[in-house]
């Protein structure tokens, strides 16, 4: 059922939660400030308090399969959760390689940090009344803080007796001891947190009771420092963490003495990294980027992340948004002015809206009906700001990177106001995955899509518009039934703020206070979009055998060809993650589904700029075409995607088409067969990878010896080997193209003796190409449609043979 704008129709908000468990942490009523919106849905029940607990949705941190989490939270193997800062997950990566790549990318991102003194204003409450109250409280707290510091200075002895509090705010030295900085930072934050609550109580008592103010949340720091947080997927240790609580009752005094508490990514507001010297600022940034990544897979309603660094006495407050780390200039904690800036930020964090902290108000727990819900706005609706509500049953894909689209996928079921199935979520932990899959047949995709700031009629890379066009053009074609995503609702996410208004969720809105000061080449415009669609498939590596993989890949590429031919849309991101399988309940046969049109582009539209000709690296690294990797200026064609499917099949042939065969690959590696040459498809620069692929694809002998002959040694892999060789031959050595368009290495035109006769020249598909052009991929682009048809014929023939083999096996 479609719902109306919360401002004009029925308002759907989450009531105060009762006692609940978030990764085993007891959360008291109201601890999140006003609702459960700031609490993640990655919930794991580990204990049973006396009161009724919030039910646990079944969620998964796995990138390859939905899993139930009932009594424990086993971390997903790092080989499947690499979560590179910029790159894509490669299931062939070792843990050591993943960690090294994360560090390298984090350091690169740290070097591109953008600074603006406006960033701290991003948490100023939107409500004018609340903002004025926060400013009044900050002034009072700052006064108390300065009096406290002066009192401590008067009563302190020598430097050897200096308290942790003064060590940070008053101690003068070339560098500070990091371990002594931890309690000093905690003491300062604890004092500010307590003082804010005391000032709020005083102001509330002195104010007319009709003047309603929000119940503030408070900042707190787990007092176990330099520890590996709960939920970390590597052995890294963060210096400190920042959480939000209702009342700082656990904080006894300025030294932050409280019950021992280990930092936990599931309820972490921000990571705080401390360094004893200002010269280590880049190190602090890099670690902040690397460690904050873990917040996203554990907080599915997290839109962006705050972070703090303290280098000696210099504090920087940061937002890690989709494309860059945006930081404040250094805030000197030795000065009263610097401490006032910190107090103001802490006070604003206490009173601001949930979405200003990075949480998503449209993913929430409905206490009345005991279930997690997600809103999907429907921009195609005639009425403005209409939305549909779905219950979240599982998380099929988690956001694992600091930067990028932060794509998440939820298995859901559609609900309406009359749906009072309050026991459903409570029963989830007792259901099998198959039973849950029967309950939820809707996939909700949540992602931050890149768009043009100056686009008036949207963007040619608008996934929602592209899917709507695909549905209109191909939705009635029975031969493609079940292999195309059908859109139920789709639109830009709106966040409702304390000012009572709905705000389109964009990077420009998140960073509105600093927008004018941020360089457009580093901080790009992104729009938070959500799509509800059906059907739902499983990961490609859930196939049971090679023949099922061939069928799924052929189905996906048949859809790809129809979209390219009839909709003039290029997918541009063919990968193992973007082809799903769906098994027919009656026959047991699999079908392939082509998903994820984030990178897709319209082509051949005279009314839009031709973005296919722009140098643009788009896709998943091991599967990118050579032209894509080398950022060639030649227009992208369907052949780039066909080249990608060859790489996908080769990758799976080497590492295993499913998880059982992946183990077999590891056994063969242990037998010292040597490192497969295919590893060069994911290491080094994009130019290095492009050249490696050119060499591997250039000749049949190279392709066989370096790639195809390294497939797993099982009989059915021979069929996959035969297919990839046939596809490679049709793409690279197509018999209908001239000799200058064969192979994949550059041709030295000075040594070329190719001079076709006139009658032969007409036969070749590239006969009209410039003979001076020596890049075969450029030449083949001119006859891309005809070569693509040849490739599709090869795939369909392979699919027919695979179906025949399976039919014989099943008899």
């Amino acid at each position: 059922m479609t719902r109306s704008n919360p401002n004009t129709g029925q308002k759907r908000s989450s009531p105060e939660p009762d006692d609940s468990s978030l990764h085993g942490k007891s959360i008291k009523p109201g601890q999140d400030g006003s609702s459960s919106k700031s609490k993640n849905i990655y919930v794991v029940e580990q204990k049973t308090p006396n009161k009724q607990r919030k039910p646990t949705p079944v969620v998964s941190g796995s990138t390859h399969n939905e899993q139930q989490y009932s009594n424990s939270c086993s971390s997903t193997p790092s080989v499947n959760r690499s979560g590179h800062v910029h790159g894509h997950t490669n299931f062939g990566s070792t843990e050591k390689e993943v960690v090294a790549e994360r560090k390298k990318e984090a350091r690169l991102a740290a070097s591109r940090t953008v600074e603006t003194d406006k960033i701290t204003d991003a948490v100023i409450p939107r409500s004018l009344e609340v903002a004025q109250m926060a400013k009044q409280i900050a002034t009072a707290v700052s006064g108390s803080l300065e009096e406290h510091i002066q009192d401590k200075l008067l009563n302190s002895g020598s430097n050897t007796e200096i308290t942790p509090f003064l060590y940070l705010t008053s101690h003068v030295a070339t560098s500070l001891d990091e371990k002594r900085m931890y309690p000093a930072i905690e003491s300062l934050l604890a004092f500010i947190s307590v003082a804010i609550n005391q000032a709020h109580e005083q102001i509330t008592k002195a104010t007319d009771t009709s003047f309603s103010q929000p119940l503030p949340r408070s900042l707190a720091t787990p007092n176990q420092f330099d520890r590996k947080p709960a939920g970390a997927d590597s052995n890294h240790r963060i210096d400190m963490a920042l959480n939000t609580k209702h009342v700082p009752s656990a904080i006894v005094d300025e030294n932050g003495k409280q019950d021992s508490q280990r930092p936990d990514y599931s309820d972490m507001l921000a990571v705080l990294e401390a360094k004893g010297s200002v010269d280590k600022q880049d190190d602090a940034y890099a670690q902040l980027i690397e460690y904050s990544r873990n917040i996203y897979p554990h907080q599915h309603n997290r839109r962006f992340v705050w972070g703090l660094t303290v280098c000696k006495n210099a504090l920087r407050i940061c937002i890690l948004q989709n494309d860059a780390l945006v930081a404040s200039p250094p805030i000197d904690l030795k000065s009263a002015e610097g401490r006032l800036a910190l107090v103001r930020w802490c006070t604003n964090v206490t009173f601001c809206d949930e979405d200003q902290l990075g949480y998503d108000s449209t993913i929430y727990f409905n206490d009345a009906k005991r279930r997690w819900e997600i809103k999907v706005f429907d921009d195609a609706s005639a009425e403005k700001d209409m939305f549909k509500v779905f219950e979240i049953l599982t998380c099929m894909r988690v956001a694992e990177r600091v930067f990028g689209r932060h794509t998440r996928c939820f298995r859901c079921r559609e609900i309406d106001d009359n749906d009072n199935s309050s026991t459903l979520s409570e029963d989830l932990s007792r259901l099998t995955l198959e039973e849950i899959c029967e309950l939820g047949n809707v996939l909700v995709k949540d992602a931050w899509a890149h768009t043009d700031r100056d686009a008036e009629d949207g963007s040619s890379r608008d996934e929602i518009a592209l899917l709507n066009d695909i549905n209109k053009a191909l939705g009635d074609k029975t031969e493609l039934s079940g292999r195309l995503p059908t859109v139920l609702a789709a639109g830009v996410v709106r966040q409702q703020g304390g000012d009572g208004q709905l705000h389109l969720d964009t990077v420009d809105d998140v960073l509105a206070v600093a927008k004018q000061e941020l360089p457009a080449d580093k901080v790009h415009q992104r729009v938070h979009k959500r799509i509800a669609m059906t059907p739902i498939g499983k990961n490609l590596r859930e196939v049971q055998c090679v023949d099922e993989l061939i069928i799924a890949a052929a189905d996906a590429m048949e859809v790809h060809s129809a979209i390219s031919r009839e909709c003039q849309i290029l997918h541009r991101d063919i990968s193992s993650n973007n082809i799903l399988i769906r098994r027919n309940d009656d026959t047991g046969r699999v079908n392939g589904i082509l998903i994820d049109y984030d990178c897709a582009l319209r082509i051949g539209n005279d009314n839009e700029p031709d973005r296919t000709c722009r140098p643009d690296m788009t896709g998943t690294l091991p599967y990118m075409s050579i032209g894509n990797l080398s950022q060639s200026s030649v227009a992208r064609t369907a052949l780039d995607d066909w080249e990608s499917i060859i790489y996908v099949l080769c990758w799976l042939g080497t590492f295993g088409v499913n998880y059982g065969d992946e183990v077999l690959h590891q056994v063969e590696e242990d037998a010292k067969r040597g490192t497969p040459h295919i590893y060069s498809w994911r290491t080094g620069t994009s130019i290095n990878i492009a050249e490696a692929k050119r060499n591997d694809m250039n000749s049949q002998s190279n392709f066989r010896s370096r790639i195809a002959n390294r497939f797993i040694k099982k009989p059915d892999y021979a069929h996959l080997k035969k297919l990839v060789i046939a596809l490679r031959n049709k793409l690279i050595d197509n018999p209908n193209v001239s000799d200058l368009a064969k192979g994949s290495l550059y041709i030295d035109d000075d040594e070329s003796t190719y001079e076709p006769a006139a009658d032969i020249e007409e036969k070749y598909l590239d006969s009209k190409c410039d003979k001076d052009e020596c890049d075969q991929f450029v030449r083949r682009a001119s006859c891309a449609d005809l070569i693509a048809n040849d490739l599709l014929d090869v795939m369909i023939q392979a699919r027919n043979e695979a179906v025949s083999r399976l039919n014989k096996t099943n008899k």
Side-chain angles (χ1 to χ4, degrees), residues 243-348:
N243 298 337
T244 58
K245 304 292 182 183
H246 169 43
V247 176
S249 56
I251 301 176
V252 179
D253 57 25
E254 67 177 40
N255 293 316
K257 293 179 180 178
Q258 57 188 52
D259 293 336
S260 178
Q261 185 183 13
R262 180 186 177 189
D264 191 328
Y265 279 121
S266 69
D267 61 6
M268 194 178 296
L269 172 66
V271 173
L272 191 155
E273 283 298 311
K275 299 295 177 185
S277 169
V278 294
D279 296 333
K280 294 185 177 181
Q281 182 62 61
D282 285 346
D283 293 341
Y285 280 150
Q287 290 180 342
L288 185 66
I289 292 168
E290 185 181 356
Y291 302 159
S292 295
R293 177 190 60 82
N294 275 277
I295 292 178
Y296 289 104
H298 291 278
Q299 298 185 28
H300 298 320
N301 57 346
R302 201 62 185 271
R303 297 155 50 246
F304 61 88
V305 172
W306 286 88
L308 294 89
T309 67
V310 180
C311 294
K312 193 181 175 183
N313 309 105
L315 165 72
R316 281 179 169 86
I317 298 171
C318 312
I319 284 182
L320 290 87
Q321 57 88 229
N322 301 80
D323 293 294
L325 186 150
V326 183
S328 69
I331 298 171
D332 186 4
L333 295 180
K334 298 194 308 299
S335 71
E337 182 180 3
R339 292 189 290 267
L340 174 60
L342 173 60
V343 169
R344 284 176 175 165
W345 183 80
C346 291
T347 308
N348 288 332

Side-chain angles (χ1 to χ4, degrees), residues 1 33 135 282 317 327 350 419 481 565 607 609 701 754 763:
M1 179 178 179
K135 186 175 181 179
D282 285 346
I317 298 171
T350 300
D419 189 336
S481 177
R565 180 180 62 253
N607 297 322
S701 60
Y754 172 69
K763 171 185 174 183

Side-chain angles (χ1 to χ4, degrees), residues 11-15 17 32-41 54 217 299-302 353-355 358-365 372 375 495-498:
K11 183 176 181 180
R12 300 183 58 83
S13 61
S14 174
D32 58 355
S34 61
S35 72
S36 62
K37 289 181 291 187
S38 67
K39 300 306 173 189
N40 63 83
I41 66 170
K54 184 183 300 182
R217 66 187 71 84
Q299 298 185 28
H300 298 320
N301 57 346
R302 201 62 185 271
D353 297 330
E354 295 282 332
D355 67 286
Y359 298 104
D360 193 331
S361 62
T362 63
I363 300 176
Y364 54 88
F365 184 77
W372 282 96
K375 294 179 182 177
Q495 299 294 333
Q496 185 172 7

Side-chain angles (χ1 to χ4, degrees), residues 99-134:
V99 171
E101 186 171 350
R102 286 180 189 155
K103 290 182 180 296
K104 178 181 177 181
E105 292 172 335
R107 189 160 294 280
L108 176 63
S111 68
R112 292 171 51 84
T113 296
V114 179
E115 286 196 359
T116 169
D117 58 0
K118 299 291 186 181
I119 199 63
T120 54
D121 293 344
V123 285
I124 294 177
R126 295 191 181 100
S127 168
L128 183 58
E129 286 183 323
V130 177
Q132 290 174 341
M133 183 190 67

Side-chain angles (χ1 to χ4, degrees), residues 11-297:
K11 183 176 181 180
R12 300 183 58 83
S13 61
S14 174
E16 289 291 320
D18 46 359
D19 285 0
S20 61
S21 176
L22 289 151
H23 278 272
K25 287 183 166 42
S26 181
I27 307 297
K28 302 300 181 184
Q31 273 187 331
D32 58 355
S34 61
S35 72
S36 62
K37 289 181 291 187
S38 67
K39 300 306 173 189
N40 63 83
I41 66 170
Y42 197 95
V43 182
V44 178
E45 297 181 336
Q46 292 180 325
K47 58 183 179 180
T48 306
N50 294 329
K51 296 183 180 181
Q52 185 182 17
R53 295 178 19 246
K54 184 183 300 182
T56 303
V58 180
V59 296
S60 169
S62 172
T63 60
H64 62 263
N65 190 18
E66 293 171 300
Q67 296 177 358
Q68 283 183 262
Y69 282 61
S70 54
N71 298 318
S72 66
C73 179
S74 59
S75 98
T76 310
S78 59
V79 72
N80 287 319
R81 262 191 58 188
S82 62
H84 301 169
V85 177
H86 291 295
H88 293 262
T89 301
N90 301 330
F91 60 79
S93 303
T94 65
E95 182 175 358
K96 183 178 180 180
E97 290 170 335
V98 167
V99 171
E101 186 171 350
R102 286 180 189 155
K103 290 182 180 296
K104 178 181 177 181
E105 292 172 335
R107 189 160 294 280
L108 176 63
S111 68
R112 292 171 51 84
T113 296
V114 179
E115 286 196 359
T116 169
D117 58 0
K118 299 291 186 181
I119 199 63
T120 54
D121 293 344
V123 285
I124 294 177
R126 295 191 181 100
S127 168
L128 183 58
E129 286 183 323
V130 177
Q132 290 174 341
M133 183 190 67
K135 186 175 181 179
Q136 183 180 354
I137 289 176
T139 301
V141 171
S142 178
S144 299
L145 177 61
E146 295 310 311
E147 290 180 6
H148 187 76
I149 289 176
Q150 292 303 316
D151 180 64
K152 286 292 183 181
L153 285 172
L154 290 173
N155 292 287
S156 64
S158 64
N159 284 339
T160 58
E161 300 172 352
I162 198 166
T163 66
F165 197 89
L166 294 182
Y167 186 74
L168 185 69
T169 59
S170 304
H171 195 48
V172 178
T174 303
S175 62
L176 301 182
D177 182 349
E178 278 188 31
K179 295 190 180 301
R180 292 189 65 183
M181 290 176 67
Y182 303 151
I185 295 170
E186 185 186 29
S187 297
L188 179 59
L189 293 174
F191 181 94
I192 294 173
S193 181
V194 172
I196 289 172
N197 279 274
Q198 291 173 345
H200 174 259
E201 291 178 2
Q202 294 172 1
I203 290 177
T204 302
K205 291 177 181 178
T207 305
D208 186 353
T209 54
S210 63
F211 183 62
S212 175
Q213 295 294 346
L215 184 68
R217 66 187 71 84
S218 293
L219 292 175
T221 57
N223 69 343
Q224 291 189 10
F225 312 129
D226 193 23
R227 287 291 307 276
K228 175 182 175 180
D233 63 358
S234 64
N235 291 322
H236 72 257
R237 302 181 302 187
I238 67 171
D239 291 340
M240 298 179 67
L242 216 58
N243 298 337
T244 58
K245 304 292 182 183
H246 169 43
V247 176
S249 56
I251 301 176
V252 179
D253 57 25
E254 67 177 40
N255 293 316
K257 293 179 180 178
Q258 57 188 52
D259 293 336
S260 178
Q261 185 183 13
R262 180 186 177 189
D264 191 328
Y265 279 121
S266 69
D267 61 6
M268 194 178 296
L269 172 66
V271 173
L272 191 155
E273 283 298 311
K275 299 295 177 185
S277 169
V278 294
D279 296 333
K280 294 185 177 181
Q281 182 62 61
D282 285 346
D283 293 341
Y285 280 150
Q287 290 180 342
L288 185 66
I289 292 168
E290 185 181 356
Y291 302 159
S292 295
R293 177 190 60 82
N294 275 277
I295 292 178
Y296 289 104

